[in-house]
Amino acid sequence: MIEVRNVWKEYGDQVVLERLNLTVKEGEFCSMVGASGCGKSTFLRLLLGQEQATRGQILLDGQPLPGEPDAHRGVVFQRYSVFDHLTVLRNVTLGLELSRAKFTGRLFGAQRRRARDEAVAMLERVGLGAAADKYPQQLSGGMQQRLAIAQALMMKPRVLLLDEPFGALDPGIRRDMHELLSDLWRESKLTIFMVTHDLKEGFTLGSRVLVFDKVRVDPQAPGAYGARITYNIPLDRSRESVSAVHLAQAAVQGASSFEAISD
Ligand SMILES: Nc1ncnc2c1ncn2[C@@H]1O[C@H](COP(=O)(O)OP(=O)(O)OP(=O)(O)O)[C@@H](O)[C@H]1O
Ligand SMILES: [Mg+2]
């Protein structure tokens, strides 16, 4: 479904990402880990179409990625994309209204009721049914994050891009969110890319873990080389093989030492 071919991203003379190659099938859940500043969010923005690769190509179903974000790609960034002046329900219907009523941004009559019903169902799904008339400020962090996820899922994206979506949540809520996301993923053919700083989270949720790391470092010129995908670890979710996870974790821990990379 998604093919990343020799992608580079440079800002001025700073190389952020270099020689990325990756093939992802529909329905995969790619966890992405790596040191701070190594270009994970940048990679998400490339997948979103918000930014263009300086070299190389990203293909979606064999076609070059559309140059602009569209409804096929939903996003949840760590800073929630919810609007404070709109109720929870309006926040969730807004995307539908904007896409279905391009000029006025408002739906009427039967269309409006349908959008509303879809939104209510989605809010139930993420456990916010009772909070439909509240404003985001009246919600806890975990509830706001669920709202952001509901908002993204409403557009029925094929690809969901998550940038440290649970970083700000406490452990209990985090676990609930893990379950919710796993369920949503299993029920649909959703393809997910999720950046996380939490290795365990990456391995628990993902069907594949991608490790971003700088292989070459020139102390005289910190911007000369970019990060690459140094490990691409498929996880066998069906068998929940514990030993495979341990092996993979060992591999990630070794990722910072300089290892040969095979393309
Ligand atoms: N618009 C931009 N213009 C110039 N440099 C940028 C821009 N966006 C990102 N960078 C640089 O690219 C590098 C990678 O940034 P990015 O945000 O992708 O890292 P990250 O892996 O997501 O880090 P973190 O884990 O801290 O979120 C950083 O050195 C950053 O300064
Ligand atoms: Mg980031």
Side-chain angles (χ1 to χ4, degrees):
M1 180 191 193
I2 291 174
E3 214 183 317
V4 176
R5 284 192 189 157
N6 189 32
V7 160
W8 293 61
K9 181 67 187 173
E10 290 144 301
Y11 291 110
D13 55 10
Q14 184 194 3
V15 183
V16 175
L17 296 167
E18 60 177 59
R19 281 187 282 165
L20 299 188
N21 286 291
L22 178 68
T23 305
V24 172
K25 291 204 218 64
E26 179 153 42
E28 287 207 62
F29 189 141
C30 299
S31 298
M32 308 194 289
V33 298
S36 180
C38 74
K40 305 176 299 293
S41 298
T42 301
F43 183 59
L44 279 188
R45 288 198 300 275
L46 294 175
L47 288 175
L48 180 62
Q50 206 177 48
E51 288 196 47
Q52 308 302 313
T54 17
R55 281 185 249 177
Q57 245 190 341
I58 300 181
L59 304 177
L60 179 67
D61 298 324
Q63 301 295 318
L65 203 62
E68 278 176 17
D70 63 31
H72 289 311
R73 286 159 283 162
V75 209
V76 179
F77 285 113
Q78 175 164 15
R79 296 297 306 273
Y80 332 114
S81 47
V82 300
F83 295 100
D84 288 336
H85 63 290
L86 299 178
T87 64
V88 165
L89 184 63
R90 276 284 288 153
N91 260 295
V92 178
T93 46
L94 186 67
L96 285 184
E97 293 193 291
L98 290 175
S99 66
R100 290 179 190 172
K102 285 216 161 46
F103 296 108
T104 57
R106 284 231 166 218
L107 296 172
F108 299 98
Q111 271 196 316
R112 184 184 176 85
R113 279 194 299 278
R114 199 171 339 124
R116 204 192 132 89
D117 290 347
E118 286 173 44
V120 168
M122 181 56 77
L123 287 175
E124 292 289 345
R125 188 71 193 76
V126 301
L128 289 178
D133 297 323
K134 294 203 162 140
Y135 286 86
Q137 299 291 311
Q138 299 170 295
L139 306 179
S140 70
M143 292 166 90
Q144 293 196 26
Q145 196 54 281
R146 275 181 277 162
L147 174 57
I149 288 176
Q151 207 179 34
L153 290 174
M154 264 310 267
M155 303 309 291
K156 302 205 167 46
R158 291 178 63 202
V159 183
L160 185 63
L161 304 171
L162 302 165
D163 199 348
E164 299 178 49
F166 312 129
L169 306 178
D170 68 45
I173 298 171
R174 233 175 139 114
R175 258 195 309 278
D176 293 347
M177 293 302 297
H178 289 170
E179 249 169 63
L180 171 65
L181 187 61
S182 287
D183 290 348
L184 290 168
W185 175 60
R186 248 180 250 118
E187 284 165 17
S188 63
K189 277 213 235 148
L190 202 56
T191 306
I192 301 181
F193 289 87
M194 179 187 74
V195 173
T196 177
H197 273 120
D198 181 345
L199 262 188
K200 186 153 172 269
E201 179 174 274
F203 278 99
T204 314
L205 293 178
S207 62
R208 177 180 295 280
V209 175
L210 306 174
V211 182
F212 286 72
D213 197 15
K214 269 194 193 192
V215 184
R216 301 182 287 175
V217 182
D218 179 351
Q220 307 300 320
Y225 300 110
R228 303 178 57 187
I229 298 173
T230 52
Y231 285 92
N232 179 341
I233 308 159
L235 301 174
D236 189 347
R237 295 243 74 90
S238 54
R239 278 185 289 140
E240 295 291 336
S241 161
V242 175
S243 57
V245 171
H246 280 289
L247 268 178
Q249 263 166 339
V252 171
Q253 268 137 27
S256 49
S257 60
F258 300 84
E259 305 231 4
I261 305 304
S262 55
D263 269 333

